[in-house]
Amino acid sequence: DAGVIQSPRHEVTEMGQEVTLRCKPISGHDYLFWYRQTMMRGLELLIYFNNNVPIDDSGMPEDRFSAKMPNASFSTLKIQPSEPRDSAVYFCASSLGVSGGTDTQYFGPGTRLTVL
Amino acid sequence: QKEVEQDPGPLSVPEGAIVSLNCTYSNSAFQYFMWYRQYSRKGPELLMYTYSSGNKEDGRFTAQVDKSSKYISLFIRDSQPSDSATYLCAMSFGNEKLTFGTGTRLTIIP
């Protein structure tokens, strides 16, 4: 398997623009996670899905953020409108389950977002 | 106060030294404790996990959990330049999401 695939790898946009990040999880994994990483706050869970259904979106910072998983092989994270404070690296991860350390989360390479 | 605290470093040690990385946490309900390694411009990858208290060894790496002190450690023996990375601790209640530390950036000097 190619692992978790994310696109684009880098995104530079201007404040107010819509940004869409994409993720293809590992085939057969039932869970998909979206994280955001910054120097100040570290790695934060934004939302996760089980079998394409959002389970916990308590980490989504505000209504400007939305995530969808229309099928088992594709998910999007959208920011509209974007703000400079959204600049971060966004990671997608997938796993077979969520049983602590026994269900390893496999991370994608991340999307580095810069909002000017 | 954050649920999981981790010294961000940076930490620089000479090749061959023993490295000690640590995290403290506040929620005694955490049951699973993990260490992830993240190379520059890459996603984190699971290095080791431990359930509840105790030690676990895997090659040059040893993970320790002290639940009474709410303190976990990762030791790296005979450190190599290839160990240079950011190390993140993570914890969960089991059947739940992970809570990560902010990560410690480690550099092994040849």
Side-chain angles (χ1 to χ4, degrees):
Chain A
D1 201 314
V4 176
I5 299 172
Q6 291 187 248
S7 64
R9 292 294 309 276
H10 302 272
E11 177 81 26
V12 180
T13 190
E14 293 189 346
M15 183 174 63
Q17 296 298 306
E18 178 178 296
V19 174
T20 299
L21 311 181
R22 296 172 177 79
C23 174
K24 176 177 167 53
I26 293 172
S27 178
H29 281 189
D30 291 333
Y31 287 83
L32 183 139
F33 306 82
W34 281 102
Y35 290 90
R36 177 173 68 177
Q37 187 175 40
T38 61
M39 290 290 291
M40 290 299 297
R41 300 175 67 90
L43 197 60
E44 302 174 286
L45 177 66
L46 300 177
I47 185 172
Y48 77 92
F49 296 82
N50 178 23
N51 292 322
N52 315 337
V53 176
I55 302 301
D56 185 345
D57 65 354
S58 59
M60 297 286 261
E62 49 199 273
D63 292 345
R64 299 184 297 107
F65 285 70
S66 62
K68 294 182 179 179
M69 192 165 185
N71 57 63
S73 58
F74 183 67
S75 177
T76 59
L77 178 68
K78 187 175 294 186
I79 308 173
Q80 166 63 16
S82 58
E83 297 182 4
R85 60 192 168 118
D86 301 330
S87 297
V89 181
Y90 290 80
F91 287 102
C92 176
S94 70
S95 71
L96 287 170
V98 288
S99 297
T102 58
D103 285 311
T104 303
Q105 290 190 21
Y106 294 87
F107 284 76
T111 295
R112 186 171 296 270
L113 173 65
T114 302
V115 183
L116 303 174
Chain B
Q1 182 191 3
K2 289 183 178 179
E3 275 194 297
V4 179
E5 298 277 0
Q6 185 174 9
D7 187 336
L11 181 63
S12 295
V13 300
E15 182 176 354
I18 296 175
V19 176
S20 173
L21 304 168
N22 311 292
C23 288
T24 59
Y25 61 96
S26 56
N27 194 329
S28 58
F30 284 129
Q31 292 290 326
Y32 291 90
F33 304 90
M34 286 141 276
W35 287 96
Y36 279 77
R37 179 174 60 195
Q38 185 176 20
Y39 290 115
S40 180
R41 305 278 174 166
K42 303 285 187 183
E45 56 180 350
L46 181 66
L47 193 59
M48 297 181 70
Y49 83 89
T50 307
Y51 172 69
S52 194
S53 282
N55 295 359
K56 186 171 184 178
E57 189 173 317
D58 184 0
R60 297 184 294 110
F61 298 87
T62 299
Q64 286 186 352
V65 175
D66 182 350
K67 292 195 73 178
S68 62
S69 302
K70 299 192 187 68
Y71 188 87
I72 71 170
S73 301
L74 177 71
F75 298 96
I76 307 174
R77 292 184 300 278
D78 186 24
S79 55
Q80 304 294 311
S82 59
D83 296 328
S84 297
T86 297
Y87 290 79
L88 302 101
C89 62
M91 306 176 188
S92 80
F93 307 118
N95 293 322
E96 253 295 342
K97 57 191 179 184
L98 301 180
T99 301
F100 282 86
T102 52
T104 300
R105 194 172 69 183
L106 172 67
T107 300
I108 307 300
I109 304 166

